Amino acid sequence: AEREQRERQAAAHREEQQRREAQREQRERQARAEQAERERAALLAAGPPVEKLPEDQARHVVHTAFTAGLPVRSAAELTGWSVGWVSTRYQEHRETAEQTAPVLEGAAQ
């Protein structure tokens, strides 16, 4: 009877840990989504630059635009760089996301 009690307590403890972990992950996802929306809003509010942005700044804008789901053309307008250059950066982000997705899925299991 004591062993069964300990097993039930251990199972309840594991379930509680899993519930807390799921809540933490949900909060993190929500925080990332809110951050992406704030960055998207800031990008759109900034509008097109007067001249082409420096490459490091343009890469940051492109990353933010990609994360926010903006079209390539919009990101190009926000950086002053060509649609081709921005499209290549978007492809790099897609490839990175594809490479990390299996790793993240494995970590979740």
Side-chain angles (χ1 to χ4, degrees), residues 22-89:
Q23 288 175 337
R24 183 188 62 76
E25 289 173 0
Q26 176 63 28
R27 285 190 306 270
E28 288 175 359
R29 279 192 298 275
Q30 181 67 29
R32 284 191 302 269
E34 289 170 359
Q35 178 66 24
E37 180 55 33
R38 283 191 300 274
E39 289 177 351
R40 178 184 168 279
L43 276 177
L44 294 175
V50 175
E51 57 186 45
K52 186 172 157 178
L53 296 178
E55 185 174 353
D56 60 334
Q57 189 177 355
R59 284 180 176 272
H60 177 72
V61 169
V62 167
H63 173 74
T64 302
F66 176 82
T67 303
L70 292 177
V72 170
R73 187 167 300 281
S74 296
E77 291 172 1
L78 292 169
T79 62
W81 287 71
S82 72
V83 170
W85 185 85
V86 173
S87 181
T88 301
R89 304 296 76 79

Side-chain angles (χ1 to χ4, degrees), residues 90-105:
Y90 265 50
Q91 183 60 36
E92 291 169 356
H93 289 300
R94 281 190 290 275
E95 289 170 358
T96 300
E98 289 171 1
Q99 291 171 356
T100 59
V103 172
L104 294 175
E105 288 172 4

